[in-house]
Amino acid sequence: YISDVWKDHYEEFKKQYVQQELGVNESFGKIHVFIDFGNVNHWFEEDRQDHDNNPLKDNEKLVINLRKLKEFVDLFSLDSRFYYGHDRQNLKSIGFIRVARDIFGKYRVFTKQIQKIKHYLTNDEFSSNTRDVHEDREGKYILIPKCNFDVEIAVDAIKHSDKYDTFCLLSSDADFVHLVRFLKTKKKKVILIKGGYIVSQLRKEASLVINAQNIKKYIAEIKQRPGD
């Protein structure tokens, strides 16, 4: 019993600490989180340091830990929705969605089949390309997976807007500018958690902008690169 009480106190203290660190105060009211994971998944792929600025080894990389991500958003939000595509022909992709549903909940993970778009390689791109190369009459090309959830997130954000005071988006996609502007006309606040560059219009419309580098310690882990 004592350990349960201590755990409850610790969790409450952690919530207060993280909310204060992020700048999320009581004025944001009820917060719902929408995770555009196709964007989030690439936040730290170019990073060569961990959250303490220690250099990563050559065979190490930073990746998003889904369980840590869920625990993080639970510190300041009442609900979270996870959007990410899948490839029916890839067992790892199907397995990833199963894990996401186990962590976020079966009805909080939204997915659809990934489309593969042809990209014809230029001479300069051959040396840096790591994907399988195909060829047709137009030339040599690679298949780039693409799966955009802008429409799904926008529809869900509007459809469920009576349930929250603040819309929190994990993405850097400029296509969300119109959604954010619309939500503001409905007296909603907007928290944007972004990695890398965002367009000035999106930054301007947000009530609070949080840089992904500032939450790296909460959501990322070190893993070995494939083949190492």
Side-chain angles (χ1 to χ4, degrees):
Y1 171 76
I2 293 177
S3 62
D4 289 341
V5 172
W6 182 88
K7 184 178 179 181
D8 289 343
H9 281 303
Y10 171 78
E11 289 299 325
E12 186 58 33
F13 172 78
K14 186 177 180 180
K15 281 186 177 183
Q16 292 176 2
Y17 175 82
V18 171
Q19 289 177 19
Q20 184 176 15
E21 182 183 33
L22 299 177
V24 179
N25 55 43
E26 293 180 356
S27 70
F28 287 96
K30 293 181 291 186
I31 302 171
H32 282 197
V33 169
F34 295 74
I35 301 169
D36 179 13
F37 195 72
N39 188 293
V40 173
N41 196 31
H42 299 290
W43 277 355
F44 307 125
E45 64 182 6
E46 300 296 330
D47 286 25
R48 298 310 306 148
Q49 295 179 324
D50 66 13
H51 67 272
D52 286 324
N53 296 321
N54 298 313
L56 297 177
K57 297 177 182 177
D58 291 341
N59 66 339
E60 291 179 336
K61 63 177 181 177
L62 280 180
V63 299
I64 305 293
N65 180 299
L66 289 190
R67 197 166 296 279
K68 291 176 71 173
L69 177 61
K70 177 63 164 62
E71 290 173 353
F72 169 72
V73 297
D74 283 350
L75 292 173
F76 58 89
S77 68
L78 296 177
D79 190 25
S80 55
R81 303 168 74 88
F82 183 97
Y83 301 80
Y84 194 52
H86 69 269
D87 182 354
R88 296 191 196 97
Q89 298 176 336
N90 187 324
L91 292 179
K92 289 179 66 175
S93 175
I94 298 299
F96 180 86
I97 294 298
R98 287 180 182 149
V99 171
R101 284 177 172 153
D102 180 59
I103 293 171
F104 284 87
K106 182 178 179 181
Y107 300 107
R108 287 296 178 271
V109 173
F110 305 89
T111 185
K112 61 185 178 183
Q113 175 68 19
I114 293 172
Q115 303 299 314
K116 294 183 179 179
I117 310 300
K118 286 184 179 181
H119 172 74
Y120 289 93
L121 296 168
T122 65
N123 291 333
D124 293 337
E125 291 174 324
F126 272 105
S127 59
S128 59
N129 174 59
T130 58
R131 300 178 187 271
D132 292 336
V133 178
H134 309 270
E135 188 171 7
D136 62 14
R137 293 179 179 179
E138 301 295 325
K140 293 183 178 180
Y141 66 90
I142 57 175
L143 294 173
I144 298 178
K146 187 171 180 61
C147 197
N148 195 307
F149 281 90
D150 296 357
V151 173
E152 288 85 351
I153 291 175
V155 169
D156 288 349
I158 294 169
K159 184 167 66 174
H160 298 285
S161 61
D162 61 331
K163 299 176 183 176
Y164 61 81
D165 304 303
T166 297
F167 168 77
C168 177
L169 175 66
L170 274 67
S171 181
S172 309
D173 197 327
D175 292 337
F176 288 110
V177 171
H178 293 297
L179 170 63
V180 169
R181 285 176 177 165
F182 174 81
L183 291 176
K184 288 184 69 177
T185 68
K186 300 300 180 182
K187 308 302 180 186
K188 304 298 178 183
K189 290 193 173 185
V190 175
I191 296 174
L192 179 66
I193 303 181
K194 60 88 181 180
Y197 172 80
I198 59 169
V199 296
S200 59
Q201 297 98 315
L202 192 55
R203 181 184 293 275
K204 181 181 177 181
E205 297 295 338
S207 311
L208 175 66
V209 178
I210 298 170
N211 193 313
Q213 291 294 323
N214 296 333
I215 63 169
K216 185 191 294 187
K217 60 186 175 183
Y218 296 116
I219 67 174
E221 66 177 347
I222 298 174
K223 279 197 172 184
Q224 283 199 328
R225 293 181 180 277
D228 293 326

